[in-house]
Amino acid sequence: MNPKEQKNMQDNITLIKTGDDQIEFVKQRFAASSTVTASEKIIDRFASRVDVLGTGCWAWTHERNDPKYGGLPYGRFFFEGKLWVAHRWIYEQLHGPVPQGLVLDHFLVPSGRCIGALCVNPGHLQPVTQRENTLRGSGPTAINSAKTHCPEGHDFDAVNSQGRRVCTICLKAYKREYNHLRAAQKQAA
């Protein structure tokens, strides 16, 4: 989902829980977990910075990192002298640490059922490898990895020495053209 589609989706989402309602809703999730190390005061502070949306997303409404250098506007939360990404903090409070070598993926974003970076609902997060997270996204890497045919419509049917997928039909045509040009240059010289 591109940023414009995500913005349009955000504009069309209605709040279903606000104020004391949302705080109680979020606190119930904390109460069901045995790994929570935060005090009730911290949980209240976190919950007061969340709006529960009709999609099930918990939209972060407080401090965010600056996305102007190409990043996403993730929520930030200060806890025990450390600045956390808000969705990671709540995930670790409810489920324990993210396993080594994995990152949290907002896995419902491609389906249009999650607002993405500003969602802190731990139910919308899944630990995956960085590669899997990238391929699930909507960036150039994900788009190109999903392609199965070259621009001429032929199947990618081989892998070159750099590990890139290639179309052998187009590769042979390119080499033929290249060899003809080289031969013509040699004759002209």
Side-chain angles (χ1 to χ4, degrees):
M1 180 181 311
N2 69 39
K4 187 174 183 181
E5 289 171 328
Q6 191 168 356
K7 173 75 172 109
N8 288 341
M9 190 179 105
Q10 288 172 344
D11 291 343
N12 295 325
I13 294 172
T14 56
L15 293 174
I16 60 167
K17 294 188 182 350
T18 57
D20 293 339
D21 240 7
Q22 83 189 15
I23 292 172
E24 280 309 308
F25 183 79
V26 174
K27 284 170 67 173
Q28 287 171 8
R29 273 305 287 271
F30 277 98
S33 174
S34 61
T35 61
V36 176
T37 59
S39 68
E40 189 169 337
K41 181 179 174 185
I42 300 295
I43 294 168
D44 285 348
R45 184 165 57 97
F46 184 91
S48 71
R49 296 170 182 190
V50 171
D51 283 336
V52 180
L53 307 179
T55 60
C57 291
W58 298 2
W60 187 253
T61 62
H62 202 62
E63 185 178 355
R64 303 167 183 176
N65 66 332
D66 189 353
K68 73 180 175 184
Y69 298 108
L72 294 171
Y74 290 109
R76 300 188 317 178
F77 186 69
F78 199 73
F79 176 67
E80 292 183 348
K82 180 180 175 188
L83 189 60
W84 288 77
V85 177
H87 69 272
R88 185 176 181 110
W89 180 83
I90 191 167
Y91 182 90
E92 290 195 4
Q93 287 296 308
L94 297 175
H95 301 290
V98 175
Q100 185 78 23
L102 300 182
V103 297
L104 292 176
D105 179 26
H106 288 87
F107 70 96
L108 294 175
V109 171
S111 67
R113 296 190 338 242
C114 181
I115 61 172
L118 290 177
C119 179
V120 296
N121 182 344
H124 290 192
L125 302 170
Q126 185 176 50
V128 296
T129 63
Q130 181 62 52
R131 176 179 167 74
E132 179 68 19
N133 190 25
T134 300
L135 294 178
R136 288 179 175 184
S138 59
T141 303
I143 291 167
N144 287 326
S145 71
K147 292 178 182 175
T148 59
H149 294 79
C150 76
E152 299 297 320
H154 310 122
D155 286 339
F156 286 125
D157 55 358
V159 176
N160 69 11
S161 60
Q162 288 94 23
R164 295 186 182 139
R165 298 171 303 149
V166 294
C167 162
T168 54
I169 296 170
C170 290
L171 184 60
K172 287 176 184 175
Y174 170 79
K175 286 181 179 181
R176 222 176 6 260
E177 178 75 23
Y178 177 80
N179 290 335
H180 286 308
L181 287 173
R182 293 287 289 166
Q185 287 174 346
K186 283 183 181 180
Q187 282 181 351

